[in-house]
Amino acid sequence: MASFDPSQRDGFSSRFGVIAAAVGSAVGLGNIWRFPYVAGENGGGAFLIIYIGFILLIGIPVMMSEFAIGRRAQRNTFGAFKVLAPRSRWSLVGLMGIIAAFTILAFYSTVAGWTVEYLVNAVGDQFAGKTKEELGVDFSAFSSHAYRPLIWQLVFMVLTAAIVIAGVKNGIEKYTKILMPLLVVLILVVCVRSVTLPNASAGLEYLFNPVWSDITLNSVLMALGQAAFSLSIGMGCLITYGSYIRKNNNLFSTSFMVASADTIIAVLAGVMIFPAVFSFGFEPDKGPELVFIVLPNIFQTMPGGYIFAIIFFFLISVAALTSTISVLEVVVAAFIEEFKISRTKATLIAASSITVLGVFATLSFGQMGDFEILGKSVFGLLEFISANILLTFGALLIILFAGWRLGKANFFDEVTNGGTIKQPLFKVIFFIIRYVAPIAIGFVAVASFFIDDLL
Ligand code: TRP
């Protein structure tokens, strides 16, 4: 650590900047595109309860561990384990994180590109007068088109790279500070519209009323995977961001606020979507197409729908962008520090190689549609490997590292800012980190091997 000069390192300049960037990372397609349909397919309110349980029991402790590891090491995900556990195999966890960044961003940028296409369609009033069948045909024609989705994916990756090249303070922090408050306002606007539609209560009941008979072991695994994915934990994204957090920041309250904001926004996404879906007599469990077929159909029938469609696809694009920058930053920070290259060079190499993998994810909806591995398309496989396998094992290893390798004294020192602030819940948190969370994650991970309908 001695050879490293922390004053040279880029970092967040304010407390609000940390929150904006971390909430920006957490709130993304996972909240607005994935959470509603996964909850819809897995018991609605019952899923929500299990999900919130995982956020509290596993999400916050892992998030806090990631911030603590990053801030203590003052390094990227890969380097952090080398600094804190020299000459050990722990840096493989960092390597796993870099691989997860590639797999996540590859499939994520496919959907992020779609949201931009739909924003453009909304502006051009393209949904007007179409039936659900026609909108379904439109969606499959677009997603399987030879180059349109690729162009949007490329545009999205270029935007992401442009912000990352500008740096942590002048890029990531600067943009998330503007975009996140805007996002919250827009979500609230759409929520108000949705809950004031006729028969909106049916959607709210669906979201909040627990149907325990719909819960299977698979839903429990999905809830854990979704919680990790949504909080951006389990692959070192928050180790990287943690390394940019100033020494006087309270990591517990930051983690608590970020996790709460993320969960509230996931629930609000459900409030945006389900009341509208029920109000217009649709089925909620529509899978990933919920956002791209059912919603456009609803927008074109509802009063003010033209404007709300634009707002919705704009907000989902923004949410995706503040998340993709955080994933790209994991790889960029590692390249800068491990290969000693400039930020610009690191970003260009990382973004272009991820885009190459992403092209296969996008093409798996079209030209490569018949190409399957383990019964899944390239997109499906990347999503499954990252969200369910890499993040689950990553979260397990990270929390084991924080609880057992970093050492209680070091961890205490980091979360109390060298003993200068009180951390009244420390004992409880550390007990969860040492025992409860690893056992819970381990149990779900092992159980997942026995579910045969997964692979
Ligand atoms: N959390 C983001 C979402 O909900 C996606 C994301 C960003 C992510 N960074 C991550 C997921 C790191 C896992 C790990 O859309």
Side-chain angles (χ1 to χ4, degrees):
M1 236 198 278
S3 66
F4 195 77
D5 179 4
S7 64
Q8 299 261 314
R9 241 173 149 260
D10 201 351
F12 298 124
S13 68
S14 65
R15 192 175 137 79
F16 179 62
V18 173
I19 302 279
V23 175
S25 171
V27 174
L29 296 173
N31 302 60
I32 299 164
W33 169 71
R34 206 168 183 273
F35 176 82
Y37 81 78
V38 173
E41 285 168 351
N42 289 284
F47 182 86
L48 184 61
I49 293 173
I50 299 173
Y51 178 82
I52 291 175
F54 280 143
I55 297 279
L56 294 174
L57 198 67
I58 295 171
I60 294 176
V62 176
M63 181 180 284
M64 207 175 153
S65 303
E66 287 205 24
F67 282 149
I69 291 169
R71 190 171 68 174
R72 192 148 193 95
Q74 291 293 300
R75 287 294 169 89
N76 68 83
T77 304
F78 182 67
F81 289 99
K82 283 198 304 183
V83 169
L84 299 175
R87 289 174 301 281
S88 73
R89 297 218 184 98
W90 281 105
S91 56
L92 290 177
V93 181
L95 197 62
M96 211 171 105
I98 312 275
I99 296 170
F102 268 79
T103 50
I104 290 172
L105 206 43
F107 82 83
Y108 204 89
S109 56
T110 299
V111 183
W114 294 350
T115 64
V116 187
E117 159 89 9
Y118 272 68
L119 171 60
V120 173
N121 287 348
V123 172
D125 208 5
Q126 297 290 314
F127 313 135
K130 288 191 176 145
T131 63
K132 190 167 159 244
E133 285 64 38
E134 288 168 318
L135 288 161
V137 170
D138 280 1
F139 177 67
S140 39
F142 162 67
S143 55
S144 64
H145 192 271
Y147 56 83
R148 277 179 79 92
L150 293 177
I151 290 177
W152 289 125
Q153 179 173 36
L154 190 66
V155 166
F156 209 90
M157 287 301 292
V158 168
L159 271 175
T160 304
I163 296 178
V164 170
I165 283 181
V168 179
K169 198 182 292 106
N170 299 322
I172 298 174
E173 179 175 354
K174 184 172 144 194
Y175 289 98
T176 51
K177 264 164 137 174
I178 306 166
L179 294 173
M180 293 319 290
L182 177 68
L183 179 73
V184 171
V185 172
L186 295 180
I187 288 176
L188 290 174
V189 169
V190 182
C191 280
V192 169
R193 169 69 281 193
S194 185
V195 296
T196 50
L197 288 167
N199 196 26
S201 59
L204 294 175
E205 192 184 315
Y206 178 77
L207 178 61
F208 293 112
N209 185 31
V211 184
W212 291 104
S213 54
D214 282 358
I215 295 292
T216 59
L217 197 52
N218 191 23
S219 348
V220 178
L221 178 70
M222 293 292 278
L224 178 63
Q226 174 62 22
F229 187 84
S230 189
L231 291 179
S232 303
I233 57 171
M235 55 84 103
C237 192
L238 301 180
I239 293 181
T240 308
Y241 273 16
S243 75
Y244 304 136
I245 298 179
R246 285 185 184 168
K247 289 286 181 193
N248 62 2
N249 188 288
N250 184 336
L251 297 182
F252 175 70
S253 61
T254 298
S255 306
F256 190 80
M257 277 161 71
V258 173
S260 310
D262 184 65
T263 307
I264 290 170
I265 292 178
V267 172
L268 288 179
V271 174
M272 287 198 289
I273 292 173
F274 291 130
V277 167
F278 278 86
S279 178
F280 289 90
F282 287 108
E283 289 296 313
D285 52 346
K286 274 291 169 278
E289 290 83 13
L290 186 60
V291 159
F292 295 103
I293 300 172
V294 178
L295 288 189
N297 196 13
I298 291 170
F299 286 132
Q300 56 115 350
T301 9
M302 90 188 188
Y306 173 71
I307 295 295
F308 285 104
I310 296 173
I311 297 178
F312 179 80
F313 285 107
F314 176 71
L315 80 81
I316 190 167
S317 307
V318 165
L321 183 62
T322 57
S323 296
T324 51
I325 57 181
S326 73
V327 186
L328 185 59
E329 179 63 21
V330 171
V331 186
V332 170
F335 282 6
I336 295 174
E337 290 170 3
E338 303 305 315
F339 300 139
K340 312 264 181 291
I341 55 176
S342 71
R343 175 166 278 275
T344 308
K345 209 170 173 183
T347 309
L348 294 178
I349 298 172
S352 48
S353 45
I354 291 170
T355 307
V356 171
L357 183 60
V359 164
F360 291 99
T362 301
L363 289 182
S364 71
F365 289 91
Q367 270 106 322
M368 287 177 56
D370 297 331
F371 180 75
E372 287 195 346
I373 307 168
L374 299 168
K376 287 180 186 291
S377 67
V378 176
F379 180 96
L381 190 70
L382 290 171
E383 187 196 4
F384 179 77
I385 290 179
S386 55
N388 289 26
I389 298 180
L390 291 176
L391 293 186
T392 306
F393 282 97
L396 179 60
L397 292 168
I398 287 169
I399 206 156
L400 285 173
F401 183 84
W404 298 94
R405 173 72 204 231
L406 187 60
K408 191 172 181 175
N410 284 336
F411 191 74
F412 184 78
D413 186 63
E414 197 53 49
V415 298
T416 57
N417 301 346
T420 57
I421 52 169
K422 287 214 171 69
Q423 214 58 269
L425 290 175
F426 182 78
K427 280 212 172 99
V428 180
I429 295 167
F430 202 70
F431 182 77
I432 293 178
I433 288 179
R434 269 213 163 152
Y435 303 102
V436 183
I439 291 171
I441 304 173
F443 180 79
V444 179
V446 169
S448 70
F449 282 114
F450 297 100
I451 306 173
D452 43 9
D453 63 338
L454 273 178
L455 271 176

mmCIF file of all heavy atoms in Angstrom, residues 25-31 104 108 228-233 235 237 262 323 326-327 391, ligand 1:
data_model
loop_
_atom_site.group_PDB
_atom_site.id
_atom_site.type_symbol
_atom_site.label_atom_id
_atom_site.label_comp_id
_atom_site.label_asym_id
_atom_site.label_seq_id
_atom_site.Cartn_x
_atom_site.Cartn_y
_atom_site.Cartn_z
ATOM 1 N N SER A 25 -25.943 3.325 -9.786
ATOM 2 C CA SER A 25 -25.528 1.971 -10.137
ATOM 3 C C SER A 25 -26.631 0.969 -9.821
ATOM 4 O O SER A 25 -26.976 0.112 -10.630
ATOM 5 C CB SER A 25 -24.260 1.601 -9.364
ATOM 6 O OG SER A 25 -23.970 0.233 -9.538
ATOM 7 N N ALA A 26 -27.189 1.107 -8.623
ATOM 8 C CA ALA A 26 -28.178 0.122 -8.169
ATOM 9 C C ALA A 26 -29.472 0.190 -8.977
ATOM 10 O O ALA A 26 -30.011 -0.832 -9.402
ATOM 11 C CB ALA A 26 -28.463 0.345 -6.682
ATOM 12 N N VAL A 27 -29.955 1.394 -9.194
ATOM 13 C CA VAL A 27 -31.231 1.527 -9.898
ATOM 14 C C VAL A 27 -31.006 1.444 -11.397
ATOM 15 O O VAL A 27 -30.306 2.270 -11.972
ATOM 16 C CB VAL A 27 -31.905 2.874 -9.555
ATOM 17 C CG1 VAL A 27 -33.151 3.072 -10.398
ATOM 18 C CG2 VAL A 27 -32.232 2.926 -8.078
ATOM 19 N N GLY A 28 -31.567 0.417 -12.001
ATOM 20 C CA GLY A 28 -31.353 0.254 -13.436
ATOM 21 C C GLY A 28 -32.428 -0.622 -14.044
ATOM 22 O O GLY A 28 -33.547 -0.710 -13.525
ATOM 23 N N LEU A 29 -32.055 -1.289 -15.112
ATOM 24 C CA LEU A 29 -32.997 -2.198 -15.755
ATOM 25 C C LEU A 29 -33.447 -3.265 -14.772
ATOM 26 O O LEU A 29 -34.539 -3.806 -14.874
ATOM 27 C CB LEU A 29 -32.336 -2.864 -16.959
ATOM 28 C CG LEU A 29 -31.930 -1.920 -18.094
ATOM 29 C CD1 LEU A 29 -31.136 -2.677 -19.148
ATOM 30 C CD2 LEU A 29 -33.170 -1.295 -18.716
ATOM 31 N N GLY A 30 -32.581 -3.575 -13.823
ATOM 32 C CA GLY A 30 -32.927 -4.564 -12.793
ATOM 33 C C GLY A 30 -34.171 -4.149 -12.029
ATOM 34 O O GLY A 30 -35.003 -4.993 -11.685
ATOM 35 N N ASN A 31 -34.319 -2.874 -11.760
ATOM 36 C CA ASN A 31 -35.483 -2.405 -11.021
ATOM 37 C C ASN A 31 -36.707 -2.277 -11.907
ATOM 38 O O ASN A 31 -37.805 -2.647 -11.527
ATOM 39 C CB ASN A 31 -35.222 -1.016 -10.419
ATOM 40 C CG ASN A 31 -34.030 -1.013 -9.510
ATOM 41 O OD1 ASN A 31 -32.922 -1.313 -9.943
ATOM 42 N ND2 ASN A 31 -34.240 -0.687 -8.257
ATOM 43 N N ILE A 104 -22.309 -9.298 -17.558
ATOM 44 C CA ILE A 104 -23.470 -8.447 -17.255
ATOM 45 C C ILE A 104 -23.637 -7.374 -18.325
ATOM 46 O O ILE A 104 -24.709 -7.205 -18.899
ATOM 47 C CB ILE A 104 -23.333 -7.790 -15.862
ATOM 48 C CG1 ILE A 104 -23.477 -8.843 -14.769
ATOM 49 C CG2 ILE A 104 -24.371 -6.684 -15.676
ATOM 50 C CD1 ILE A 104 -23.167 -8.351 -13.376
ATOM 51 N N TYR A 108 -26.780 -6.712 -20.770
ATOM 52 C CA TYR A 108 -27.465 -5.502 -20.299
ATOM 53 C C TYR A 108 -27.543 -4.453 -21.411
ATOM 54 O O TYR A 108 -28.555 -3.773 -21.577
ATOM 55 C CB TYR A 108 -26.653 -4.951 -19.134
ATOM 56 C CG TYR A 108 -27.393 -4.079 -18.149
ATOM 57 C CD1 TYR A 108 -28.038 -4.646 -17.052
ATOM 58 C CD2 TYR A 108 -27.413 -2.704 -18.286
ATOM 59 C CE1 TYR A 108 -28.674 -3.855 -16.126
ATOM 60 C CE2 TYR A 108 -28.060 -1.905 -17.358
ATOM 61 C CZ TYR A 108 -28.688 -2.485 -16.275
ATOM 62 O OH TYR A 108 -29.323 -1.697 -15.360
ATOM 63 N N ALA A 228 -29.311 -9.329 -5.320
ATOM 64 C CA ALA A 228 -27.889 -9.046 -5.559
ATOM 65 C C ALA A 228 -27.723 -8.206 -6.817
ATOM 66 O O ALA A 228 -27.011 -7.201 -6.820
ATOM 67 C CB ALA A 228 -27.105 -10.353 -5.688
ATOM 68 N N PHE A 229 -28.429 -8.616 -7.870
ATOM 69 C CA PHE A 229 -28.318 -7.889 -9.137
ATOM 70 C C PHE A 229 -28.763 -6.445 -8.966
ATOM 71 O O PHE A 229 -28.119 -5.513 -9.434
ATOM 72 C CB PHE A 229 -29.177 -8.586 -10.205
ATOM 73 C CG PHE A 229 -28.996 -8.013 -11.574
ATOM 74 C CD1 PHE A 229 -27.955 -8.438 -12.381
ATOM 75 C CD2 PHE A 229 -29.861 -7.043 -12.064
ATOM 76 C CE1 PHE A 229 -27.775 -7.901 -13.649
ATOM 77 C CE2 PHE A 229 -29.690 -6.499 -13.327
ATOM 78 C CZ PHE A 229 -28.637 -6.932 -14.123
ATOM 79 N N SER A 230 -29.873 -6.264 -8.273
ATOM 80 C CA SER A 230 -30.431 -4.930 -8.152
ATOM 81 C C SER A 230 -29.564 -4.014 -7.292
ATOM 82 O O SER A 230 -29.478 -2.818 -7.550
ATOM 83 C CB SER A 230 -31.846 -5.005 -7.586
ATOM 84 O OG SER A 230 -32.459 -3.745 -7.665
ATOM 85 N N LEU A 231 -28.921 -4.577 -6.264
ATOM 86 C CA LEU A 231 -28.067 -3.738 -5.421
ATOM 87 C C LEU A 231 -26.669 -3.552 -6.019
ATOM 88 O O LEU A 231 -25.832 -2.881 -5.428
ATOM 89 C CB LEU A 231 -27.944 -4.343 -4.023
ATOM 90 C CG LEU A 231 -29.200 -4.337 -3.151
ATOM 91 C CD1 LEU A 231 -28.906 -4.990 -1.809
ATOM 92 C CD2 LEU A 231 -29.734 -2.934 -2.936
ATOM 93 N N SER A 232 -26.405 -4.177 -7.144
ATOM 94 C CA SER A 232 -25.070 -4.132 -7.773
ATOM 95 C C SER A 232 -23.996 -4.769 -6.906
ATOM 96 O O SER A 232 -22.840 -4.366 -6.933
ATOM 97 C CB SER A 232 -24.624 -2.698 -8.094
ATOM 98 O OG SER A 232 -25.525 -2.046 -8.914
ATOM 99 N N ILE A 233 -24.378 -5.767 -6.095
ATOM 100 C CA ILE A 233 -23.377 -6.408 -5.244
ATOM 101 C C ILE A 233 -22.943 -7.749 -5.830
ATOM 102 O O ILE A 233 -23.586 -8.283 -6.720
ATOM 103 C CB ILE A 233 -23.893 -6.649 -3.809
ATOM 104 C CG1 ILE A 233 -25.164 -7.485 -3.824
ATOM 105 C CG2 ILE A 233 -24.100 -5.333 -3.091
ATOM 106 C CD1 ILE A 233 -25.620 -7.937 -2.459
ATOM 107 N N MET A 235 -19.980 -8.586 -7.293
ATOM 108 C CA MET A 235 -18.928 -8.660 -8.308
ATOM 109 C C MET A 235 -17.898 -7.555 -8.158
ATOM 110 O O MET A 235 -17.026 -7.407 -8.999
ATOM 111 C CB MET A 235 -19.528 -8.675 -9.716
ATOM 112 C CG MET A 235 -20.453 -7.553 -10.049
ATOM 113 S SD MET A 235 -19.549 -6.116 -10.582
ATOM 114 C CE MET A 235 -19.811 -6.217 -12.321
ATOM 115 N N CYS A 237 -18.413 -4.249 -7.975
ATOM 116 C CA CYS A 237 -18.779 -2.931 -8.483
ATOM 117 C C CYS A 237 -18.686 -1.914 -7.335
ATOM 118 O O CYS A 237 -18.154 -0.813 -7.495
ATOM 119 C CB CYS A 237 -20.207 -3.014 -9.013
ATOM 120 S SG CYS A 237 -20.724 -1.625 -9.963
ATOM 121 N N ASP A 262 -32.919 1.874 -3.532
ATOM 122 C CA ASP A 262 -33.042 0.896 -4.612
ATOM 123 C C ASP A 262 -34.333 0.080 -4.468
ATOM 124 O O ASP A 262 -35.036 -0.168 -5.443
ATOM 125 C CB ASP A 262 -31.827 -0.034 -4.603
ATOM 126 C CG ASP A 262 -31.857 -1.008 -5.765
ATOM 127 O OD1 ASP A 262 -31.772 -0.538 -6.919
ATOM 128 O OD2 ASP A 262 -31.996 -2.224 -5.530
ATOM 129 N N SER A 323 -26.292 2.776 -14.570
ATOM 130 C CA SER A 323 -25.830 1.451 -14.139
ATOM 131 C C SER A 323 -24.696 0.945 -15.016
ATOM 132 O O SER A 323 -23.717 0.384 -14.511
ATOM 133 C CB SER A 323 -26.979 0.438 -14.191
ATOM 134 O OG SER A 323 -27.977 0.800 -13.277
ATOM 135 N N SER A 326 -21.320 2.144 -14.078
ATOM 136 C CA SER A 326 -20.711 1.533 -12.890
ATOM 137 C C SER A 326 -20.100 0.173 -13.208
ATOM 138 O O SER A 326 -19.095 -0.216 -12.624
ATOM 139 C CB SER A 326 -21.728 1.413 -11.759
ATOM 140 O OG SER A 326 -22.672 0.399 -12.014
ATOM 141 N N VAL A 327 -20.710 -0.553 -14.136
ATOM 142 C CA VAL A 327 -20.158 -1.859 -14.500
ATOM 143 C C VAL A 327 -18.872 -1.674 -15.321
ATOM 144 O O VAL A 327 -17.860 -2.337 -15.093
ATOM 145 C CB VAL A 327 -21.170 -2.721 -15.294
ATOM 146 C CG1 VAL A 327 -20.629 -4.112 -15.521
ATOM 147 C CG2 VAL A 327 -22.499 -2.809 -14.556
ATOM 148 N N LEU A 391 -22.967 -13.771 -9.367
ATOM 149 C CA LEU A 391 -23.283 -12.826 -8.284
ATOM 150 C C LEU A 391 -23.521 -13.545 -6.964
ATOM 151 O O LEU A 391 -23.128 -13.062 -5.899
ATOM 152 C CB LEU A 391 -24.492 -11.961 -8.638
ATOM 153 C CG LEU A 391 -24.319 -10.971 -9.781
ATOM 154 C CD1 LEU A 391 -25.541 -10.077 -9.914
ATOM 155 C CD2 LEU A 391 -23.073 -10.119 -9.615
HETATM 156 N N1 TRP B 1 -28.010 -2.868 -10.331
HETATM 157 C C1 TRP B 1 -28.226 -2.558 -11.711
HETATM 158 C C2 TRP B 1 -29.673 -2.784 -12.036
HETATM 159 O O1 TRP B 1 -30.464 -3.056 -11.180
HETATM 160 C C3 TRP B 1 -27.308 -3.336 -12.629
HETATM 161 C C4 TRP B 1 -25.911 -3.347 -12.167
HETATM 162 C C5 TRP B 1 -25.036 -2.313 -12.157
HETATM 163 C C6 TRP B 1 -25.244 -4.444 -11.585
HETATM 164 N N2 TRP B 1 -23.880 -2.699 -11.591
HETATM 165 C C7 TRP B 1 -23.961 -4.000 -11.236
HETATM 166 C C8 TRP B 1 -25.623 -5.738 -11.314
HETATM 167 C C9 TRP B 1 -23.067 -4.845 -10.601
HETATM 168 C C10 TRP B 1 -24.728 -6.575 -10.698
HETATM 169 C C11 TRP B 1 -23.468 -6.152 -10.312
HETATM 170 O O2 TRP B 1 -30.083 -2.681 -13.143
#
